[in-house]
Amino acid sequence: MTDTDMWEADEVEDDEVAEPETYFGSVDEFVRDFLVTQYRREISPMSQFRWDARWWLHPEAVSRLEALWRAWEHLRNDPATGMSVWWRDHADHHMGVLLSADGPFGKTSDTTEPGAPLPYAPPPPALYPDVRALPN
C-alpha cells in the first residue's frame, strides 16, 4: 500500500463519519420539552414579558427559535462551557427579543402566573417533522 492509498482510505473514512444525532427532533419538540419549561416569567399584555403559545405563527419567532435549537444541539456536545455559552450568547439574546413588549409577540394576549412555564399550543402535526426520522 502506498502513502496515496492510505490518504484516500482516510478520506473515505472521514466521509463515512455520521453527523451526531440531534437530541430534539424538531424545533417544536425543543420548545415544548425544554424551552417553555426553562423560562418562568409572568406573561401578560400588561407585563414586560410577552409570549404566544402559538409561536409557530410568527415568522421571526420561528427563525429565532430554530437558531436557538440548532445552537443548543451544537453546544450540548461541549461538556465544559457549552451550556453557559448557549445561555449567554444565544438564549439571553434571542429570548430577550422574543419576550420583549416590542418583539414578535408584542400584540399577543397570552398570560401566565409568576413561576409558571411559558404557554404552549401544538403546531399542526406536519409542520415540524422529526429530523431524526428523515432519510439522510
Side-chain angles (χ1 to χ4, degrees):
M1 180 181 274
T2 69
D3 285 344
T4 304
D5 293 335
M6 290 183 351
W7 293 330
E8 289 173 1
D10 286 345
E11 289 174 14
V12 170
E13 287 176 14
D14 288 346
D15 290 344
E16 293 173 1
V17 174
E19 202 172 302
E21 186 173 285
T22 62
Y23 183 84
F24 296 107
S26 68
V27 66
D28 175 51
E29 184 181 0
F30 173 74
V31 169
R32 178 186 68 236
D33 293 347
F34 178 73
L35 200 66
V36 298
T37 65
Q38 298 300 305
Y39 279 86
R40 309 253 176 175
R41 306 285 192 278
E42 181 179 1
I43 303 294
S44 84
M46 303 308 289
S47 79
Q48 74 182 76
F49 300 112
R50 314 293 167 83
W51 181 260
D52 190 348
R54 298 180 317 157
W55 54 269
W56 37 269
L57 293 175
H58 304 268
E60 179 186 353
V62 170
S63 184
R64 288 179 179 279
L65 292 167
E66 283 268 356
L68 279 175
W69 169 48
R70 295 296 180 171
W72 187 92
E73 291 289 354
H74 176 77
L75 290 167
R76 75 182 173 90
N77 293 308
D78 176 353
T81 61
M83 286 297 93
S84 181
V85 169
W86 182 80
W87 281 104
R88 183 195 67 211
D89 293 352
H90 301 277
D92 288 346
H93 172 74
H94 289 295
M95 290 303 288
V97 172
L98 290 171
L99 292 167
S100 73
D102 61 350
F105 306 134
K107 303 276 188 227
T108 61
S109 60
D110 283 355
T111 63
T112 64
E113 296 297 320
L118 296 176
Y120 173 81
L127 193 56
Y128 298 106
D130 190 324
V131 298
R132 298 168 297 195
L134 298 175
N136 292 334

